[in-house]
Amino acid sequence: MSRENPFSTRAVRPGAIAFLFEAGVDARSLVDRFLASGRRGQIVGPHGSGKSTLLASLAEELRARGIAVKLVELHDGCRAMPDEAVAQKGEVLMVDGYEQLGVVARSKLAFEVARRQAGLLVTSHRNVRWPIPLPVIYATHPGVELAERLALELLSRSRHPEAVSAAEIRGLYEAEQGNLREVFFRLYDLYESRSR
Amino acid sequence: MNDPGITILLEGNRRAFEPGDVLTAEYRIDSLSLVDAKAIEASVIWYTVGKGDEDLAVHHFVRQTTDAGVVFDLRRPQRLRATLPSSPLSYDGVIVKVRWCVRVRLFPARGRELVAEVPFQLGRVPAAAVPAPPESIAVHE
Protein backbone atom coordinates (compact mmCIF):
# COMPACT_ATOMS: atom_id res chain seq x y z
CA MET A 1 0.00 0.00 0.00
CA SER A 2 1.45 3.34 -1.02
CA ARG A 3 1.41 6.41 1.19
CA GLU A 4 1.41 8.65 -1.91
CA ASN A 5 -1.48 10.19 -3.76
CA PRO A 6 -2.54 7.39 -6.17
CA PHE A 7 -3.07 9.95 -8.95
CA SER A 8 0.40 11.52 -8.73
CA THR A 9 2.43 11.69 -11.93
CA ARG A 10 4.64 8.77 -10.95
CA ALA A 11 1.58 6.56 -10.50
CA VAL A 12 -0.27 7.45 -13.71
CA ARG A 13 2.49 8.20 -16.21
CA PRO A 14 2.79 5.91 -19.24
CA GLY A 15 4.36 2.66 -18.18
CA ALA A 16 3.36 3.03 -14.53
CA ILE A 17 -0.11 1.66 -15.16
CA ALA A 18 -0.78 -1.14 -17.55
CA PHE A 19 -2.82 -0.39 -20.64
CA LEU A 20 -6.23 -2.03 -20.48
CA PHE A 21 -6.86 -3.75 -23.79
CA GLU A 22 -10.15 -4.65 -25.39
CA ALA A 23 -11.04 -8.32 -25.19
CA GLY A 24 -9.03 -10.48 -27.57
CA VAL A 25 -6.15 -8.02 -27.98
CA ASP A 26 -2.92 -7.74 -26.05
CA ALA A 27 0.58 -6.30 -26.41
CA ARG A 28 1.83 -9.49 -28.02
CA SER A 29 -0.84 -9.52 -30.75
CA LEU A 30 -0.32 -5.82 -31.49
CA VAL A 31 3.43 -6.26 -31.81
CA ASP A 32 2.74 -9.19 -34.17
CA ARG A 33 0.50 -6.88 -36.19
CA PHE A 34 3.17 -4.16 -36.22
CA LEU A 35 5.89 -6.55 -37.38
CA ALA A 36 3.60 -8.01 -40.05
CA SER A 37 3.00 -4.47 -41.33
CA GLY A 38 6.66 -4.11 -42.23
CA ARG A 39 7.53 -2.51 -38.88
CA ARG A 40 5.30 0.47 -39.61
CA GLY A 41 2.27 1.50 -37.60
CA GLN A 42 0.32 4.15 -35.77
CA ILE A 43 -1.84 4.21 -32.67
CA VAL A 44 -4.71 6.63 -33.10
CA GLY A 45 -6.92 8.18 -30.45
CA PRO A 46 -8.04 11.38 -28.76
CA HIS A 47 -6.20 13.31 -26.03
CA GLY A 48 -5.72 11.39 -22.80
CA SER A 49 -7.07 8.13 -24.16
CA GLY A 50 -4.03 6.02 -23.25
CA LYS A 51 -1.92 6.16 -26.43
CA SER A 52 1.33 6.85 -24.56
CA THR A 53 0.55 4.13 -22.04
CA LEU A 54 -0.07 1.68 -24.87
CA LEU A 55 3.18 2.76 -26.52
CA ALA A 56 5.04 2.00 -23.28
CA SER A 57 3.45 -1.48 -23.15
CA LEU A 58 4.45 -2.17 -26.75
CA ALA A 59 8.00 -0.93 -26.10
CA GLU A 60 8.25 -3.44 -23.28
CA GLU A 61 6.99 -6.25 -25.51
CA LEU A 62 9.41 -5.32 -28.32
CA ARG A 63 12.36 -5.23 -25.90
CA ALA A 64 11.33 -8.61 -24.52
CA ARG A 65 11.70 -9.93 -28.08
CA GLY A 66 15.19 -8.47 -28.34
CA ILE A 67 14.19 -5.51 -30.53
CA ALA A 68 15.75 -2.20 -29.51
CA VAL A 69 13.41 0.76 -29.10
CA LYS A 70 14.01 4.49 -29.11
CA LEU A 71 11.18 6.68 -27.80
CA VAL A 72 10.76 10.32 -28.79
CA GLU A 73 8.08 12.38 -27.03
CA LEU A 74 7.02 15.44 -28.98
CA HIS A 75 5.58 18.18 -26.84
CA ASP A 76 3.04 20.82 -27.86
CA GLY A 77 4.02 22.79 -30.92
CA CYS A 78 6.98 20.60 -31.82
CA ARG A 79 7.10 20.72 -35.61
CA ALA A 80 10.41 18.94 -36.16
CA MET A 81 12.18 15.88 -34.79
CA PRO A 82 14.96 16.51 -32.25
CA ASP A 83 18.41 16.15 -33.83
CA GLU A 84 19.39 13.27 -31.54
CA ALA A 85 16.32 11.21 -32.48
CA VAL A 86 18.04 8.98 -35.01
CA ALA A 87 17.12 5.32 -35.21
CA GLN A 88 19.82 2.75 -35.73
CA LYS A 89 19.51 -0.20 -38.09
CA GLY A 90 16.99 -2.70 -36.77
CA GLU A 91 15.78 -0.37 -34.06
CA VAL A 92 12.15 0.74 -33.72
CA LEU A 93 11.69 4.49 -33.45
CA MET A 94 8.58 5.40 -31.45
CA VAL A 95 7.25 8.92 -31.91
CA ASP A 96 4.63 10.02 -29.40
CA GLY A 97 2.67 12.96 -30.82
CA TYR A 98 3.45 12.36 -34.51
CA GLU A 99 0.62 14.59 -35.76
CA GLN A 100 2.49 17.63 -34.48
CA LEU A 101 5.27 17.19 -37.02
CA GLY A 102 5.05 19.27 -40.16
CA VAL A 103 4.82 17.59 -43.55
CA VAL A 104 8.48 18.23 -44.29
CA ALA A 105 9.54 16.71 -40.96
CA ARG A 106 7.35 13.66 -41.55
CA SER A 107 8.82 13.19 -45.05
CA LYS A 108 12.34 13.48 -43.70
CA LEU A 109 11.54 11.03 -40.91
CA ALA A 110 10.07 8.49 -43.35
CA PHE A 111 13.16 8.78 -45.55
CA GLU A 112 15.59 8.40 -42.62
CA VAL A 113 13.77 5.41 -41.17
CA ALA A 114 13.72 3.64 -44.56
CA ARG A 115 17.38 4.46 -45.22
CA ARG A 116 18.42 3.05 -41.86
CA GLN A 117 16.15 0.00 -42.15
CA ALA A 118 14.50 0.92 -38.87
CA GLY A 119 10.91 0.53 -37.70
CA LEU A 120 8.48 3.37 -37.06
CA LEU A 121 5.61 3.26 -34.58
CA VAL A 122 3.81 6.49 -33.76
CA THR A 123 0.86 7.85 -31.81
CA SER A 124 -1.43 10.41 -33.31
CA HIS A 125 -4.74 12.11 -32.63
CA ARG A 126 -5.86 11.34 -36.16
CA ASN A 127 -5.01 8.86 -38.88
CA VAL A 128 -2.04 10.52 -40.59
CA ARG A 129 -1.86 9.26 -44.17
CA TRP A 130 0.65 11.59 -45.74
CA PRO A 131 3.45 11.49 -46.87
CA ILE A 132 3.45 7.79 -46.01
CA PRO A 133 0.35 5.90 -44.93
CA LEU A 134 1.09 4.16 -41.64
CA PRO A 135 -1.20 1.21 -40.86
CA VAL A 136 -3.42 1.86 -37.84
CA ILE A 137 -2.55 -1.00 -35.53
CA TYR A 138 -4.85 0.14 -32.71
CA ALA A 139 -7.39 2.89 -32.06
CA THR A 140 -7.81 3.88 -28.41
CA HIS A 141 -11.35 4.57 -27.28
CA PRO A 142 -11.68 6.10 -23.85
CA GLY A 143 -14.82 5.20 -22.02
CA VAL A 144 -16.33 5.94 -18.66
CA GLU A 145 -16.05 2.29 -17.64
CA LEU A 146 -12.33 2.33 -18.40
CA ALA A 147 -11.83 5.53 -16.40
CA GLU A 148 -13.73 4.09 -13.46
CA ARG A 149 -11.80 0.80 -13.56
CA LEU A 150 -8.43 2.53 -13.69
CA ALA A 151 -9.22 5.07 -10.99
CA LEU A 152 -10.67 2.48 -8.60
CA GLU A 153 -7.67 0.23 -9.16
CA LEU A 154 -5.31 3.10 -8.33
CA LEU A 155 -7.36 4.00 -5.27
CA SER A 156 -7.33 0.41 -4.05
CA ARG A 157 -3.52 0.61 -3.66
CA SER A 158 -3.71 3.79 -1.57
CA ARG A 159 -4.21 4.42 2.12
CA HIS A 160 -7.60 6.02 1.55
CA PRO A 161 -9.45 3.96 -1.06
CA GLU A 162 -12.70 5.53 0.11
CA ALA A 163 -11.53 9.07 -0.71
CA VAL A 164 -13.35 9.19 -4.05
CA SER A 165 -16.47 7.34 -5.08
CA ALA A 166 -17.19 5.64 -8.38
CA ALA A 167 -20.00 8.12 -8.98
CA GLU A 168 -17.59 11.02 -8.60
CA ILE A 169 -15.17 9.42 -11.06
CA ARG A 170 -17.98 9.18 -13.59
CA GLY A 171 -18.91 12.81 -12.95
CA LEU A 172 -15.34 13.95 -13.52
CA TYR A 173 -15.10 11.88 -16.68
CA GLU A 174 -18.12 13.65 -18.08
CA ALA A 175 -16.89 17.09 -16.96
CA GLU A 176 -13.53 16.50 -18.68
CA GLN A 177 -15.18 15.12 -21.82
CA GLY A 178 -13.34 11.83 -21.73
CA ASN A 179 -9.81 13.18 -21.26
CA LEU A 180 -8.35 10.66 -18.82
CA ARG A 181 -5.25 12.74 -18.12
CA GLU A 182 -7.42 15.65 -16.96
CA VAL A 183 -9.60 13.28 -14.95
CA PHE A 184 -6.51 12.07 -13.11
CA PHE A 185 -5.44 15.67 -12.39
CA ARG A 186 -8.85 16.38 -10.87
CA LEU A 187 -8.77 13.15 -8.89
CA TYR A 188 -5.34 14.09 -7.54
CA ASP A 189 -6.80 17.31 -6.10
CA LEU A 190 -9.82 15.55 -4.69
CA TYR A 191 -7.73 12.85 -3.03
CA GLU A 192 -5.37 15.46 -1.61
CA SER A 193 -8.22 17.47 -0.09
CA ARG A 194 -9.75 14.40 1.56
CA SER A 195 -6.76 12.44 2.74
CA ARG A 196 -4.65 14.93 4.66
CA MET B 1 7.20 -0.98 -3.73
CA ASN B 2 10.03 -3.01 -2.26
CA ASP B 3 11.10 -6.22 -3.93
CA PRO B 4 11.58 -9.14 -1.57
CA GLY B 5 15.16 -10.28 -1.28
CA ILE B 6 16.69 -6.93 -0.28
CA THR B 7 16.67 -5.55 3.26
CA ILE B 8 17.75 -2.01 4.13
CA LEU B 9 18.20 -0.92 7.74
CA LEU B 10 18.91 2.64 8.81
CA GLU B 11 21.19 2.77 11.83
CA GLY B 12 19.11 2.80 15.00
CA ASN B 13 16.03 2.53 12.82
CA ARG B 14 16.22 6.31 12.65
CA ARG B 15 13.82 7.97 10.18
CA ALA B 16 14.34 11.69 10.88
CA PHE B 17 17.54 13.60 10.14
CA GLU B 18 18.79 17.15 10.11
CA PRO B 19 21.02 18.74 7.46
CA GLY B 20 24.64 17.81 8.17
CA ASP B 21 23.70 14.59 9.95
CA VAL B 22 25.49 11.43 8.91
CA LEU B 23 23.14 8.75 7.66
CA THR B 24 24.38 5.21 8.03
CA ALA B 25 22.56 2.29 6.49
CA GLU B 26 23.16 -1.40 6.14
CA TYR B 27 21.72 -3.43 3.30
CA ARG B 28 21.82 -7.10 2.59
CA ILE B 29 20.59 -9.64 0.13
CA ASP B 30 18.35 -12.20 1.77
CA SER B 31 18.00 -14.68 -1.04
CA LEU B 32 20.90 -16.98 -1.81
CA SER B 33 19.68 -17.20 -5.39
CA LEU B 34 20.59 -13.54 -5.82
CA VAL B 35 24.11 -13.48 -4.42
CA ASP B 36 25.63 -14.05 -7.86
CA ALA B 37 24.29 -10.67 -9.03
CA LYS B 38 26.13 -8.68 -11.72
CA ALA B 39 25.95 -5.43 -9.83
CA ILE B 40 24.41 -3.70 -6.86
CA GLU B 41 23.83 0.03 -6.46
CA ALA B 42 23.05 1.88 -3.26
CA SER B 43 22.10 5.52 -3.27
CA VAL B 44 20.69 8.31 -1.17
CA ILE B 45 18.29 10.22 -3.34
CA TRP B 46 15.54 12.80 -3.27
CA TYR B 47 12.65 12.99 -5.67
CA THR B 48 9.43 14.87 -6.07
CA VAL B 49 5.97 13.39 -6.06
CA GLY B 50 2.97 15.34 -7.22
CA LYS B 51 0.80 16.52 -10.00
CA GLY B 52 3.24 17.87 -12.56
CA ASP B 53 6.71 17.15 -13.86
CA GLU B 54 8.88 15.08 -11.58
CA ASP B 55 12.40 15.74 -10.39
CA LEU B 56 15.02 13.45 -8.93
CA ALA B 57 18.63 13.86 -7.82
CA VAL B 58 21.22 11.46 -6.48
CA HIS B 59 23.02 12.77 -3.40
CA HIS B 60 25.23 9.74 -2.73
CA PHE B 61 25.91 6.73 -4.91
CA VAL B 62 27.89 3.51 -4.59
CA ARG B 63 28.04 0.79 -7.25
CA GLN B 64 29.68 -2.59 -6.98
CA THR B 65 29.98 -4.61 -10.14
CA THR B 66 31.59 -7.79 -11.35
CA ASP B 67 32.28 -6.25 -14.78
CA ALA B 68 36.02 -5.88 -14.19
CA GLY B 69 36.35 -9.30 -12.65
CA VAL B 70 35.88 -7.91 -9.14
CA VAL B 71 34.27 -10.36 -6.76
CA PHE B 72 32.07 -9.09 -3.98
CA ASP B 73 30.34 -11.17 -1.39
CA LEU B 74 26.69 -10.23 -1.18
CA ARG B 75 26.08 -12.74 1.59
CA ARG B 76 27.64 -10.18 3.92
CA PRO B 77 25.81 -6.96 4.80
CA GLN B 78 27.05 -3.87 2.95
CA ARG B 79 27.27 -0.43 4.53
CA LEU B 80 26.49 3.00 3.22
CA ARG B 81 27.40 6.29 4.87
CA ALA B 82 26.49 9.77 3.68
CA THR B 83 26.47 13.26 5.13
CA LEU B 84 23.12 14.82 4.37
CA PRO B 85 22.95 18.20 2.63
CA SER B 86 21.17 21.38 3.68
CA SER B 87 18.58 21.18 0.92
CA PRO B 88 16.12 20.26 -0.38
CA LEU B 89 14.32 19.46 2.84
CA SER B 90 11.52 16.93 2.97
CA TYR B 91 8.24 18.64 2.29
CA ASP B 92 4.66 17.45 2.22
CA GLY B 93 3.01 19.95 -0.09
CA VAL B 94 -0.26 19.74 -1.91
CA ILE B 95 0.94 20.04 -5.50
CA VAL B 96 4.44 18.78 -4.89
CA LYS B 97 6.14 16.73 -2.19
CA VAL B 98 9.87 16.22 -1.66
CA ARG B 99 10.84 12.73 -0.55
CA TRP B 100 14.20 11.36 0.54
CA CYS B 101 15.12 7.70 0.61
CA VAL B 102 17.88 5.14 0.60
CA ARG B 103 17.48 3.03 -2.53
CA VAL B 104 19.19 -0.25 -3.37
CA ARG B 105 19.04 -1.71 -6.86
CA LEU B 106 20.22 -5.23 -7.52
CA PHE B 107 20.98 -6.49 -11.01
CA PRO B 108 20.75 -10.29 -10.88
CA ALA B 109 22.68 -12.49 -13.28
CA ARG B 110 19.31 -13.33 -14.84
CA GLY B 111 15.95 -11.58 -14.88
CA ARG B 112 14.80 -8.09 -14.06
CA GLU B 113 16.42 -5.76 -11.57
CA LEU B 114 15.17 -5.64 -7.98
CA VAL B 115 14.64 -2.41 -6.07
CA ALA B 116 14.10 -1.62 -2.40
CA GLU B 117 13.70 1.76 -0.73
CA VAL B 118 13.55 3.08 2.80
CA PRO B 119 12.17 6.59 3.15
CA PHE B 120 13.40 9.11 5.69
CA GLN B 121 12.70 12.70 6.64
CA LEU B 122 15.27 15.46 6.17
CA GLY B 123 14.58 18.61 8.20
CA ARG B 124 11.38 19.71 9.85
CA VAL B 125 9.37 21.70 7.34
CA PRO B 126 5.70 21.64 8.38
CA ALA B 127 3.27 20.03 5.99
CA ALA B 128 1.15 22.31 3.84
CA ALA B 129 -2.29 23.22 5.07
CA VAL B 130 -5.24 21.12 4.00
CA PRO B 131 -6.46 22.54 0.69
CA ALA B 132 -9.97 23.77 0.24
CA PRO B 133 -12.14 21.11 -1.36
CA PRO B 134 -12.35 21.51 -5.15
CA GLU B 135 -15.57 22.77 -6.68
CA SER B 136 -18.44 20.37 -6.54
CA ILE B 137 -18.55 17.45 -8.90
CA ALA B 138 -21.65 16.32 -10.66
CA VAL B 139 -22.32 12.83 -9.42
CA HIS B 140 -23.65 10.26 -11.88
CA GLU B 141 -25.18 7.30 -10.13
Side-chain angles (χ1 to χ4, degrees), chain A residues 78-136:
Chain A
C78 191
R79 303 279 294 165
M81 289 288 285
D83 291 341
E84 67 276 15
V86 178
Q88 303 303 316
K89 186 176 177 180
E91 202 171 40
V92 171
L93 185 64
M94 292 184 156
V95 182
D96 196 5
Y98 180 68
E99 79 286 340
Q100 295 183 80
L101 292 177
V103 172
V104 174
R106 290 204 299 264
S107 303
K108 197 174 157 191
L109 175 62
F111 174 76
E112 281 298 318
V113 165
R115 188 171 74 85
R116 293 172 183 272
Q117 298 177 314
L120 180 63
L121 179 58
V122 307
T123 68
S124 178
H125 292 153
R126 60 178 193 282
N127 184 349
V128 181
R129 297 187 174 87
W130 207 85
I132 49 160
L134 294 171
V136 175

Side-chain angles (χ1 to χ4, degrees), chain A residues 3-5 7-11 13 167-168 170-172 174 185-186 188-190 192-194 196, chain B residues 47 49-52 54 92-95 97 99 119 128 130-131 133-135 137-141:
Chain A
R3 66 175 174 152
E4 304 294 1
N5 187 315
F7 304 104
S8 62
T9 304
R10 63 167 26 207
R13 69 182 165 206
E168 287 175 317
R170 290 196 292 274
L172 286 174
E174 186 145 312
F185 279 150
R186 298 275 303 270
Y188 177 96
D189 293 337
L190 206 52
E192 205 63 25
S193 70
R194 293 175 179 174
R196 297 171 72 87
Chain B
Y47 57 89
V49 179
K51 200 176 165 182
E54 298 168 312
D92 194 18
V94 176
I95 293 173
K97 303 157 202 309
R99 307 288 193 216
V130 178
E135 67 269 32
I137 298 160
V139 170
H140 297 253
E141 298 292 355

Side-chain angles (χ1 to χ4, degrees), chain B:
Chain B
M1 183 167 296
N2 285 351
D3 280 307
I6 305 174
T7 299
I8 305 171
L9 297 168
L10 302 190
E11 193 172 64
N13 205 22
R14 188 174 166 193
R15 293 302 176 94
F17 295 83
E18 294 298 326
D21 282 356
V22 175
L23 176 149
T24 306
E26 190 176 279
Y27 53 97
R28 66 167 189 266
I29 306 308
D30 298 321
S31 168
L32 283 177
S33 63
L34 296 172
V35 295
D36 61 344
K38 289 182 293 185
I40 188 164
E41 294 175 354
S43 50
V44 179
I45 63 171
W46 66 263
Y47 57 89
T48 59
V49 179
K51 200 176 165 182
D53 289 343
E54 298 168 312
D55 208 352
L56 178 148
V58 178
H59 171 66
H60 181 86
F61 179 77
V62 186
R63 178 180 168 89
Q64 290 173 283
T65 173
T66 55
D67 286 351
V70 177
V71 177
F72 52 91
D73 186 358
L74 282 178
R75 286 168 298 187
R76 301 174 63 177
Q78 315 289 313
R79 279 176 80 80
L80 172 148
R81 188 179 155 87
T83 303
L84 296 171
S86 54
S87 70
L89 301 179
S90 300
Y91 178 59
D92 194 18
V94 176
I95 293 173
V96 70
K97 303 157 202 309
V98 178
R99 307 288 193 216
W100 278 89
C101 74
V102 174
R103 175 183 287 176
V104 173
R105 295 169 75 194
L106 180 78
F107 301 87
R110 286 169 300 281
R112 66 173 184 89
E113 70 176 74
L114 305 178
V115 183
E117 289 181 3
V118 171
F120 65 88
Q121 181 87 12
L122 179 61
R124 282 182 246 176
V125 179
V130 178
E135 67 269 32
S136 63
I137 298 160
V139 170
H140 297 253
E141 298 292 355

Side-chain angles (χ1 to χ4, degrees), chain A residues 136-191:
Chain A
V136 175
I137 64 160
Y138 196 82
T140 53
H141 302 288
V144 67
E145 295 80 13
L146 174 72
E148 189 181 324
R149 243 173 92 193
L150 281 172
L152 290 177
E153 191 178 316
L154 289 164
L155 277 164
S156 71
R157 301 179 209 156
S158 74
R159 281 187 181 169
H160 301 280
E162 75 296 341
V164 186
S165 71
E168 287 175 317
I169 296 165
R170 290 196 292 274
L172 286 174
Y173 182 85
E174 186 145 312
E176 295 299 337
Q177 299 173 357
N179 186 330
L180 270 183
R181 195 173 296 129
E182 292 300 324
V183 172
F184 286 150
F185 279 150
R186 298 275 303 270
L187 286 168
Y188 177 96
D189 293 337
L190 206 52
Y191 184 90

